[in-house]
Amino acid sequence: MSEHPVQKSHRTPGRAAGSNPDVRFDRVTTEAVDDGWDRHDELPVLRTQVSEEIARTVISRNTSPDLSFDRSINPYRGCEHGCIYCFARPSHAFLGLSPGLDFETKLIARPNAADRLRAELSHPRYKPAMIGIGTNTDPYQPIEKDRGIMRDILMVLRDFNHPVGIVTKGTLIERDIDILAEMSAKGLTRVGISVTTLDPKTSRAMEPRVPLPAARLRTIRRLTDAGIPVRVMVSPVVPALTDHELEAILEAAHEAGAVAASSIILRLPLEVATLFRDWLAEHYPDRAARVMGRVRELHGGKDYDPEFGKRMVGQGEWAAMMQQRFKLAARKLGLDRSLPPLRTDLFAKPPQAGDQLALF
């Protein structure tokens, strides 16, 4: 333990993480300490940096039994939304970046994603199935407004009549209602909007650059008014902090037009556990011990249990009670329905420049 306090190099307004934990793959770690020298009256603000990656492939595959899809696309790595609980934070370590502040501020855009997608869908052996987008980092995070990578991807999927399921907290999805409504009319798309709390103060602390809950509810209404089916996702449920809002969130989403609902319990893999504990100590010191005690109860005495079948629902009496509450509330509101599978029979490679024209 250093005899000096840790030295901060930047101010971090609008960020959830308070530090940059070491990258778990690094052999050597460093720590800046404040030795009293080189003091500044005011530190600079930590700004978002965006670099680019030229993707060789864009469709990622998974075999998880907990997921309803086997392929996904991530237009961006890292997420400026900065949700402190985000299970995707540890993925930044594979880039040599920290799951802490780096995850929120050192983003990677994939500008050729749409071109690569077009090539992969055109492969003669490709078989269509729903592609999930937003299952790791949010495709409608703030930088999408300028980059437009997600919109380019949607245009490719529309041209191929390829099914897509989107998960987001971003109201920027409203920009793409024209494409999504066209695809929805063919049974090719649906959207999940995540609402963790209805309290703007809690939301701003947990997910600092996400549109506020009321804005997300308005987005649900605008999407459903355009004929796009929306599932409200009460995810994650944070015990002793947001769990009491479960029924209220479902009711508000139902009033906004949501047609289905799902819920996932808080999970804290790898570095997320430390980041979340530090965040609790800063923002909710009065209930930090209670929250983490309940989290460990849900995960067999640990901060997180990655076992398939348990990691998203938890275990024990409290988990069972939450599942029962969700089922009762969803059934009462008619949100317990299963949405029909998206169509794959319309999939076809669109005509390309230079193709021979049909004679008849």
Side-chain angles (χ1 to χ4, degrees):
M1 177 71 70
S2 170
E3 60 181 297
H4 301 291
V6 175
Q7 183 183 43
K8 291 189 175 182
S9 58
H10 291 84
R11 290 182 291 124
T12 56
R15 309 293 182 182
S19 63
N20 258 333
D22 294 330
V23 178
R24 60 185 179 277
F25 303 114
D26 287 351
R27 294 183 178 182
V28 178
T29 61
T30 61
E31 183 180 85
V33 297
D34 185 358
D35 58 4
W37 293 86
D38 194 29
R39 285 185 172 273
H40 298 279
D41 291 335
E42 182 152 330
L43 297 172
V45 173
L46 183 60
R47 303 294 184 185
T48 301
Q49 303 173 36
V50 183
S51 58
E52 293 186 351
E53 169 191 278
I54 301 304
R56 290 182 292 179
T57 61
V58 293
I59 300 178
S60 301
R61 306 280 179 157
N62 79 82
T63 57
S64 170
D66 287 337
L67 301 177
S68 60
F69 55 91
D70 68 353
R71 62 199 72 181
S72 60
I73 296 174
N74 291 295
Y76 303 100
R77 301 186 192 274
C79 188
E80 195 176 6
H81 279 162
C83 304
I84 190 60
Y85 50 73
C86 183
F87 66 86
R89 285 180 176 271
S91 65
H92 233 43
F94 292 105
L95 306 174
L97 299 171
S98 174
L101 284 168
D102 282 354
F103 180 79
E104 306 175 36
T105 62
K106 294 184 178 180
L107 313 179
I108 297 173
R110 310 174 82 191
N112 70 323
D115 290 338
R116 289 308 312 151
L117 176 61
R118 185 177 293 106
E120 290 174 42
L121 297 184
S122 297
H123 194 284
R125 290 196 296 272
Y126 181 81
K127 301 295 183 184
M130 188 192 81
I131 289 177
I133 306 182
T135 57
N136 195 52
T137 57
D138 201 314
Y140 288 106
Q141 59 181 287
I143 60 171
E144 166 63 15
K145 183 177 181 180
D146 296 323
R147 296 279 173 157
I149 298 173
M150 178 60 178
R151 185 170 176 86
D152 290 343
I153 287 172
L154 282 179
M155 287 192 286
V156 172
L157 294 171
R158 176 198 60 191
D159 292 346
F160 279 80
N161 281 325
H162 194 291
V164 60
I166 301 168
V167 175
T168 185
K169 293 185 180 75
T171 55
L172 183 57
I173 191 174
E174 294 177 29
R175 177 201 64 190
D176 295 336
I177 282 178
D178 57 336
I179 300 175
L180 295 172
E182 180 183 345
M183 296 181 72
S184 179
K186 298 179 180 179
L188 293 173
T189 191
R190 57 174 173 253
V191 173
I193 300 292
S194 175
V195 181
T196 49
T197 176
L198 297 176
D199 177 32
K201 181 179 178 181
T202 303
S203 176
R204 187 57 74 226
M206 281 201 308
E207 38 200 32
R209 299 198 176 201
V210 173
L212 288 172
R216 279 176 266 171
L217 292 171
R218 287 194 295 270
T219 293
I220 292 176
R221 168 54 60 197
R222 287 165 184 159
L223 291 170
T224 55
D225 283 350
I228 302 160
V230 178
R231 175 189 302 274
V232 61
M233 306 174 69
V234 189
S235 305
V237 175
V238 183
L241 185 60
T242 67
D243 59 280
H244 65 285
E245 296 187 74
L246 176 64
E247 290 84 359
I249 293 172
L250 292 174
E251 178 69 35
H254 171 68
E255 292 178 1
V259 297
S262 62
S263 180
I264 298 175
I265 208 72
L266 178 68
R267 47 196 180 117
L268 303 174
L270 300 170
E271 296 91 347
V272 185
T274 299
L275 290 164
F276 188 76
R277 285 196 301 267
D278 291 346
W279 176 84
L280 275 175
E282 178 180 354
H283 293 274
Y284 294 95
D286 59 323
R287 67 184 82 181
R290 182 183 173 199
V291 172
M292 289 309 301
R294 187 69 77 187
V295 167
R296 295 186 184 103
E297 176 187 332
L298 285 165
H299 296 287
K302 299 176 288 187
D303 288 343
Y304 179 59
D305 181 357
E307 183 179 344
F308 290 137
K310 294 182 179 179
R311 58 183 182 150
M312 295 185 180
V313 296
Q315 54 190 294
E317 293 183 3
W318 193 84
M321 180 186 69
M322 288 302 299
Q323 292 175 47
Q324 185 66 10
R325 283 176 55 192
F326 173 81
K327 289 179 181 178
L328 289 173
R331 185 183 307 142
K332 177 182 177 182
L333 297 168
L335 296 175
D336 57 341
R337 56 184 287 199
S338 296
L339 296 177
L342 299 178
R343 296 181 64 177
T344 59
D345 58 305
L346 300 178
F347 176 79
K349 181 181 176 181
Q352 304 293 311
D355 286 353
Q356 183 175 359
L357 297 177
L359 297 179
F360 302 99

